[in-house]
Amino acid sequence: MTEPLRWQIATVTDIHSETPNVSSFTFALPDWMPHLAGQHYDLRLTAADGYQAQRSYSIASEPMRTGVITLTVERIPDGEVSAYLHDVLVVGDRVELRGPIGGYFVWKATTGGPLLLIAGGSGVVPLMSMIRERAGVGSRVPAALLFSSRKREDVIYWDELAALTAADPSLRVFHTLTREQPPGWTGYGRRIDGEMLAEILPAVGTDARVFICGPTLLVEAAAQGVVDLGIPAAQVRTERFGPTGA
Amino acid sequence: MSHHETDAERRMNSDMADDMADDMAGSLTLDANAVAGRMRELFGIEMTAVPSACAHCGNVAEMGTLNAFTRGPGVVLRCSACSGVVMRIVETPDATLLDARGAAYIRLPRTGA
C-alpha cells in the first residue's frame, strides 16, 4: 500500500435508484484493484473554469466484482457533488476517482466474525460491502445488521437485504424506523437504544466485531450502548459521517 | 389567541429538533477516515490504521479514530479521548502545512514490514 494513490478516469456504467434520495453509481476503473469492505474512494469533479470539488464515498460493492466499483450516494440538499451525481451524471460520463482508501474501518472475510453491524441511513453503505463480501465467499459467520432509517421508503437495499436473510439464516437484519412506521410494521419504531441493542446482541454475542457507521449522534449512542453490554471497546470500530460527505 | 401544540405538532417539532441536532453534530464531527485520502497523499501510505499517541493525554489509537473537523480552512484532527488537537493540515496553492505537535509519536510501518 505504499504506491502513490493516483487519480484515474472512471466511466459510469450503471446508475440504480435505491430510494428517493439515494442512488448507486457503478464505475469502470482502468486501474481497478481489489478493495477491502469498508474502504472508500475519493471522487473529484472539475469545472470548466478549473474549480474542483472533492468528496469521499464508501464502496458498496464487494471486492470480488472485478473491474468496477459501486458507490452508493445520498443526495444532500445543497450538496454540490452529490447533487451533480444525482441530477446530471448519466451512463457513459466520466469522473475522477482515487482509491481504495482506508485501513481502519475495514473487514475481510478471512478476519471472521461474529459481526455486529449498526447503521444509520447511508451509513449502511460500507457495511453492505461487508455483507456482500460475506455472502460472496459463502461465509456463515453469525452476522446481524441493525439498520436505522427514517421511513420505510428511505430504507436502502431493502429488497437485497430481505433476499440475503431469506437465503442465509446466519444473517439477521433488524430495521428500526424512527420517523414513520407503515401499518403492520413489525420492526422497531424508535432511535437505537440500549434496550434494542440488548435484544439483538444474542444473535451474535459479545465476541462480535462491531462496525458502526452513521450520523455522529447515532454512532456515539450505539458505540456506548454496545460497550455497556459488555463488548470490549477494542472490538468496536466507528465511522461518522456528516454533510461534508455531500 | 393562545396556541396549543397538538401531539402531532409536538412530535413533528421534536423530530425536527432531533434532525437539526443530527445535522449540526454531523456537520462538525467526522472521523479521520474522512480525510484518509489527504493523509495518504501527505504521508505516502495508508494512515487510518496507523497508531498515534496523543501528546495531551497519552491515548494511543489508530489515526482513523481521531475526530476530524473539516469545515474550516484546514483540517483539524482531535483526540477521541481528550479532544486535544493532535494534528492540523492546511493546504495552500503551493504547499501543505502540517502541524503535528499534538502527536507524541506516530508509529509508521516500515516498507515491506
Side-chain angles (χ1 to χ4, degrees), chain B residues 54 65-69 76-87:
Chain B
C54 173
T65 65
L66 297 174
N67 293 328
F69 296 79
V76 177
L77 300 179
R78 289 180 178 271
C79 174
S80 62
C82 76
S83 297
V85 175
V86 173
M87 193 177 283

Side-chain angles (χ1 to χ4, degrees), chain A residues 1-5 7 39-40 42 54 56 98 100-105 150 178-181 189 191 215-218 220 237-245, chain B residues 11 15-16 18-19 21-23 25-31 33-38 40-41 44-46 48-49 62-67 70-71 80 111-112:
Chain A
M1 297 276 278
T2 52
E3 71 280 5
L5 197 56
W7 289 100
Q39 285 188 308
H40 67 263
D42 287 347
Q54 181 184 320
S56 300
R98 73 170 177 191
I101 297 165
Y104 171 68
F105 195 83
R150 284 180 179 171
T178 58
R179 175 70 61 86
E180 191 180 293
Q181 302 82 33
R191 289 174 169 248
T216 297
L217 292 183
L218 177 148
E220 288 178 356
R237 301 208 161 191
T238 61
E239 183 162 273
R240 298 166 174 83
F241 67 74
T244 46
Chain B
R11 172 88 196 283
D15 280 344
M16 284 171 64
D18 285 353
D19 290 348
D22 271 2
D23 291 345
S27 69
L28 295 175
T29 316
L30 298 170
D31 298 306
N33 298 311
V35 292
R38 208 174 320 196
R40 172 141 179 195
E41 200 168 30
I45 59 166
E46 172 56 51
T48 54
E62 290 102 330
M63 294 198 71
T65 65
L66 297 174
N67 293 328
T70 60
R71 287 241 150 164
S80 62
T111 310

Side-chain angles (χ1 to χ4, degrees), chain A residues 143 145 158-174:
Chain A
L145 169 68
W158 175 274
D159 291 338
E160 185 177 349
L161 288 170
L164 285 168
T165 50
D168 173 11
S170 60
L171 172 68
R172 305 281 308 277
V173 175
F174 303 87

Side-chain angles (χ1 to χ4, degrees), chain A:
Chain A
M1 297 276 278
T2 52
E3 71 280 5
L5 197 56
R6 294 181 203 288
W7 289 100
Q8 46 181 317
I9 310 285
T11 306
V12 181
T13 60
D14 184 65
I15 299 176
H16 171 71
S17 174
E18 304 281 359
T19 76
N21 289 315
V22 176
S23 288
S24 291
F25 301 86
T26 300
F27 298 92
L29 291 168
D31 294 316
W32 181 90
M33 60 180 282
H35 60 269
L36 303 174
Q39 285 188 308
H40 67 263
Y41 269 78
D42 287 347
L43 184 152
R44 181 167 76 180
L45 301 175
T46 306
D49 65 0
Y51 172 75
Q52 292 189 324
Q54 181 184 320
R55 298 291 185 274
S56 300
Y57 294 113
S58 290
I59 305 165
S61 47
E62 63 279 27
M64 44 288 255
R65 268 181 70 200
T66 56
V68 298
I69 54 147
T70 299
L71 308 177
T72 299
V73 179
E74 180 176 11
R75 190 186 200 292
I76 306 294
D78 304 323
E80 57 182 355
V81 176
S82 70
Y84 177 87
L85 299 180
H86 279 260
D87 300 343
V88 181
L89 204 68
V90 294
V91 169
D93 281 354
R94 298 194 284 182
V95 301
E96 282 184 290
L97 292 177
R98 73 170 177 191
I101 297 165
Y104 171 68
F105 195 83
V106 297
W107 180 77
K108 290 178 271 196
T110 50
T111 310
L115 271 181
L116 175 57
L117 310 174
I118 303 174
S122 59
V124 75
V125 176
L127 308 184
M128 193 62 182
S129 182
M130 298 176 189
I131 290 170
R132 285 169 168 165
E133 172 169 1
R134 179 182 169 282
V137 300
S139 166
R140 287 293 180 268
V141 297
L145 169 68
L146 173 58
F147 187 6
S148 176
S149 307
R150 284 180 179 171
K151 302 174 184 173
R152 167 63 187 82
E153 73 205 47
D154 295 329
V155 180
I156 306 167
Y157 310 130
W158 175 274
D159 291 338
E160 185 177 349
L161 288 170
L164 285 168
T165 50
D168 173 11
S170 60
L171 172 68
R172 305 281 308 277
V173 175
F174 303 87
H175 289 283
T176 183
L177 299 179
T178 58
R179 175 70 61 86
E180 191 180 293
Q181 302 82 33
W185 175 250
T186 55
Y188 292 108
R190 62 183 196 272
R191 289 174 169 248
I192 291 172
D193 56 28
E195 191 187 332
M196 196 183 292
L197 292 167
E199 285 173 15
I200 67 161
L201 190 59
V204 289
T206 52
D207 291 338
R209 294 168 195 280
V210 185
F211 291 89
I212 308 172
C213 186
T216 297
L217 292 183
L218 177 148
V219 166
E220 288 178 356
Q224 189 60 51
V226 295
V227 169
D228 288 346
L229 289 170
I231 296 186
Q235 286 166 224
V236 181
R237 301 208 161 191
T238 61
E239 183 162 273
R240 298 166 174 83
F241 67 74
T244 46

